[in-house]
Amino acid sequence: MQFFTRHNLKYFDKMRCLRKRSAVSFLGILVVCLLFMNLYIEDGYVLEGDKELIRETATHQLNPERYVHSFKDLSNFSGSINISYRYLAGTPLPRKRYLTIGLSSVKRKKGNYLLETIKSIFEQSSYEELKEIAVVVQLADFDSAWCEGMVQDISQKFAHHIIAGRLIVIHVPEDYYPVLDGLKRNYNDPEDRVKFRSKQNVDYAFLLNFCANLSDYYVMLEDDVRCSKNFLTAVKKVITSREGSYWVTLEFSKLGYIGKLYHSHDLPRLAHFLLMFYQEMPCDWLLIHFRGLLAQKEVIRFKPSLFQHMGYYSSYKGAENKLKDDDFEEESFDIPDNPPANLHTNMNVFENYEASKAYSSIDEYFWGKAPSTGDFYGIVFEKPIKISKIKVVTGTEDRQNDILHHGALEVGEKIVGSKKGRQCTTYLRLGEFKNGNFEITDVEHKVLFDINCMRILVTKSQKEWLIIRSISVWTSQTPNQ
């Protein structure tokens, strides 16, 4: 851990002065870049005149990819920020973990949910899962008496987790913070609101910086959250299903800065980014910009949500905050494995609703024009697998007739062909679709061979288009090679 000396405070003073001279132009380039990438946030707080000005400015800018490339290559963004952290409870981790869970908490005027949040993290995790996580709580309030009281409460209630090296409580003294008074009042926010959200950005930046080397992955929670049962196992399955694909942020809640997952190697850049624009906008908006600048255009969010907001009073002035994630499921849910596979179809695909969008936990789907008898949607697994359960859902709530009216599901073996054109020579039919859906369990007892392929076969032409909303595959043990 590198330590912060007093003269390093010039970093923030210099950052503050440079912002006065160049933040407007640089931020303008940033926003224009995001506009071209369709990532700029349209929000009710942004005045129509400001939106029009941004549109006019956009017509006079150069290729935004140039600025994305420049941001990626900034060497100063790849290293940690020199901060001296106070350990209030716990010690440095003896070994690297799979997942770090970060929480930043301040004193609230009404209510306090931090202890319940920590309790939920540990209670909803199995003994095996606890071995793979580290929880870092940052007490970010400048009231030392409050911090001391919270440390006592945490140490009393979670002593065994602290001793086991699963829980660390840290604090960054006020001296290391940049100027928080007299900041720009973007979006016409009141001065105290600007100060609150700007400090919150710095709080998160310091927390991210601390957690950068603790684990392979990092997930941010707020301090008033309830967790789903065995959330780590669900997260690991999702990460495995995304192997080979590029992502910056995976989202396991649709609310605020809850359940946002990152590669730990991206945390230093994210910490620097939050510091650079700490006074510009709320952290959840900045996170959208960060994701876009690193070339992830679309939100990758998984359902059901793994984390739920439970606080009734906000940390800002104790205002009421009744936001709930209606996609949250607290009890353990059976998330599919969906092992790595190549997907293909001979159906006429509509626009960009390609085959890959049906074979994931993301809220997307495959959409093909009216299929004919013999058309298929094929899945070729990268390795032979044993399957325990299969579930396929077609159609959506607003297009309930775009289902597979007549179809069957088959599994195959004996692959032939090149890597790109592989297919199975032998198929076994497992059943027919009913009302557009298909589900079967105990597949490993009904299929005696290791499965290389799976396909959805159209058995009768239909005039309606076909939406395959989701394809879910659960595996049993890995077959012996």
Side-chain angles (χ1 to χ4, degrees):
M1 179 68 65
Q2 293 178 301
F3 289 90
F4 198 85
T5 59
R6 176 70 60 170
H7 73 272
N8 290 123
L9 291 173
K10 294 179 180 178
Y11 171 84
F12 295 109
D13 294 333
K14 184 178 180 181
M15 178 181 70
R16 177 88 173 118
C17 294
L18 287 175
R19 182 175 295 102
K20 291 180 179 178
R21 296 194 297 268
S22 61
V24 173
S25 59
F26 187 85
L27 188 61
I29 291 171
L30 172 65
V31 172
V32 169
C33 168
L34 298 171
L35 279 168
F36 274 97
M37 298 172 68
N38 294 318
L39 288 168
Y40 183 72
I41 300 171
E42 293 293 329
D43 189 274
Y45 288 109
V46 182
L47 300 178
E48 288 302 318
D50 294 334
K51 293 180 183 177
E52 186 60 32
L53 178 60
I54 292 169
R55 294 189 192 104
E56 292 173 359
T57 306
T59 63
H60 300 288
Q61 299 298 328
L62 300 176
N63 186 354
E65 292 180 2
R66 164 182 161 190
Y67 302 108
V68 176
H69 181 74
S70 298
F71 177 77
K72 287 182 180 179
D73 289 345
L74 282 176
S75 59
N76 289 338
F77 277 52
S78 61
S80 62
I81 304 163
N82 294 326
I83 300 289
S84 179
Y85 295 89
R86 290 182 55 199
Y87 280 79
L88 303 183
T91 57
L93 296 182
R95 62 179 177 84
K96 197 171 185 179
R97 307 298 168 86
Y98 183 83
L99 179 70
T100 298
I101 302 162
L103 306 166
S104 184
S105 185
V106 296
K107 181 180 179 180
R108 294 171 181 259
K109 290 190 175 182
K110 292 183 179 180
N112 189 301
Y113 312 98
L114 177 59
L115 297 178
E116 286 300 311
T117 299
I118 299 172
K119 179 182 177 182
S120 179
I121 293 171
F122 291 133
E123 284 192 346
Q124 298 291 61
S125 301
S126 68
Y127 178 72
E128 291 301 317
E129 289 172 328
L130 289 175
K131 295 178 182 179
E132 299 188 75
I133 66 173
V135 179
V136 178
V137 177
Q138 177 180 239
L139 298 182
D141 204 277
F142 298 148
D143 184 337
S144 58
W146 177 83
C147 290
E148 290 172 5
M150 286 306 305
V151 170
Q152 289 181 6
D153 290 343
I154 292 171
S155 298
Q156 290 174 1
K157 293 181 180 294
F158 306 105
H160 59 296
H161 292 296
I162 294 173
I163 294 170
R166 286 190 287 267
L167 176 60
I168 299 172
V169 183
I170 63 171
H171 176 73
V172 177
E174 184 176 3
D175 289 346
Y176 300 126
Y177 278 72
V179 174
L180 295 172
D181 292 311
L183 303 179
K184 292 188 298 183
R185 293 180 57 189
N186 292 342
Y187 316 111
N188 204 32
D189 279 348
E191 187 173 340
D192 58 347
R193 175 69 181 177
V194 172
K195 181 176 181 178
F196 171 82
R197 61 172 170 78
S198 298
K199 179 185 176 296
Q200 189 175 58
N201 285 333
V202 180
D203 293 341
Y204 285 138
F206 289 165
L207 177 58
L208 292 164
N209 183 67
F210 179 87
C211 296
N213 297 310
L214 302 184
S215 58
D216 297 322
Y217 301 96
Y218 174 89
V219 66
M220 180 69 81
L221 298 185
E222 295 182 2
D223 64 349
D224 52 356
V225 167
R226 191 167 73 251
C227 304
S228 174
K229 187 77 172 177
N230 302 118
F231 64 88
L232 176 62
T233 298
V235 167
K236 291 182 71 172
K237 281 190 174 184
V238 167
I239 291 173
T240 300
S241 73
R242 302 290 302 185
E243 283 183 2
S245 65
Y246 177 77
W247 58 269
V248 177
T249 310
L250 302 181
E251 302 188 10
F252 295 91
S253 172
K254 63 183 180 183
L255 299 179
Y257 204 174
I258 298 174
K260 306 303 184 283
L261 182 83
Y262 303 92
H263 296 277
S264 290
H265 60 69
D266 281 334
L267 297 186
R269 272 193 293 195
L270 179 53
H272 280 282
F273 185 78
L274 291 176
L275 280 179
M276 177 178 287
F277 300 110
Y278 77 102
Q279 65 170 309
E280 303 298 338
M281 60 186 70
C283 59
D284 45 343
W285 292 15
L286 286 173
L287 295 175
I288 297 173
H289 291 316
F290 180 79
R291 164 174 58 78
L293 284 169
L294 293 187
Q296 180 189 316
K297 289 188 176 183
E298 304 297 332
V299 174
I300 305 176
R301 187 169 72 83
F302 296 87
K303 294 182 181 181
S305 298
L306 299 180
F307 307 100
Q308 175 67 286
H309 177 260
M310 68 175 176
Y312 185 78
Y313 296 105
S314 168
S315 53
Y316 173 63
K317 285 189 169 182
E320 290 187 4
N321 183 0
K322 301 179 181 180
L323 285 175
K324 297 294 180 184
D325 189 336
D326 51 14
D327 292 324
F328 173 74
E329 292 184 11
E330 184 166 6
E331 293 303 314
S332 178
F333 62 89
D334 199 9
I335 188 170
D337 298 292
N338 281 23
N342 294 316
L343 312 169
H344 60 282
T345 182
N346 66 343
M347 287 181 250
N348 189 359
V349 180
F350 175 62
E351 294 185 350
N352 64 337
Y353 293 88
E354 59 262 17
S356 61
K357 294 190 173 182
Y359 189 69
S360 73
S361 299
I362 306 174
D363 193 20
E364 298 179 318
Y365 52 81
F366 163 79
W367 201 0
K369 298 181 181 179
S372 302
T373 303
D375 284 352
F376 66 89
Y377 176 107
I379 302 173
V380 180
F381 300 107
E382 290 185 2
K383 298 178 181 179
I385 60 172
K386 293 287 188 184
I387 295 178
S388 59
K389 178 181 175 182
I390 301 169
K391 182 178 181 180
V392 181
V393 179
T394 67
T396 62
E397 292 182 4
D398 57 339
R399 294 189 177 274
Q400 298 182 13
N401 211 33
D402 284 4
I403 63 173
L404 182 55
H405 294 274
H406 302 280
L409 189 134
E410 301 176 335
V411 293
E413 62 175 337
K414 299 179 181 177
I415 285 185
V416 296
S418 62
K419 187 173 182 179
K420 291 185 178 180
R422 296 191 309 161
Q423 59 183 348
C424 288
T425 58
T426 305
Y427 281 92
L428 172 67
R429 183 164 296 188
L430 295 183
E432 308 286 333
F433 277 74
K434 295 182 180 179
N435 299 318
N437 298 322
F438 180 90
E439 185 170 358
I440 185 171
T441 57
D442 299 320
V443 178
E444 70 271 36
H445 298 134
K446 299 169 184 175
V447 179
L448 302 181
F449 54 82
D450 295 341
I451 296 172
N452 293 105
C453 307
M454 191 175 91
R455 73 179 179 188
I456 298 167
L457 186 66
V458 179
T459 55
K460 185 178 179 180
S461 300
Q462 61 185 59
K463 62 181 181 179
E464 298 84 6
W465 289 16
L466 172 61
I467 290 176
I468 302 179
R469 185 174 179 180
S470 64
I471 300 172
S472 302
V473 176
W474 289 261
T475 59
S476 50
Q477 83 260 16
T478 303
N480 295 324
Q481 301 296 312

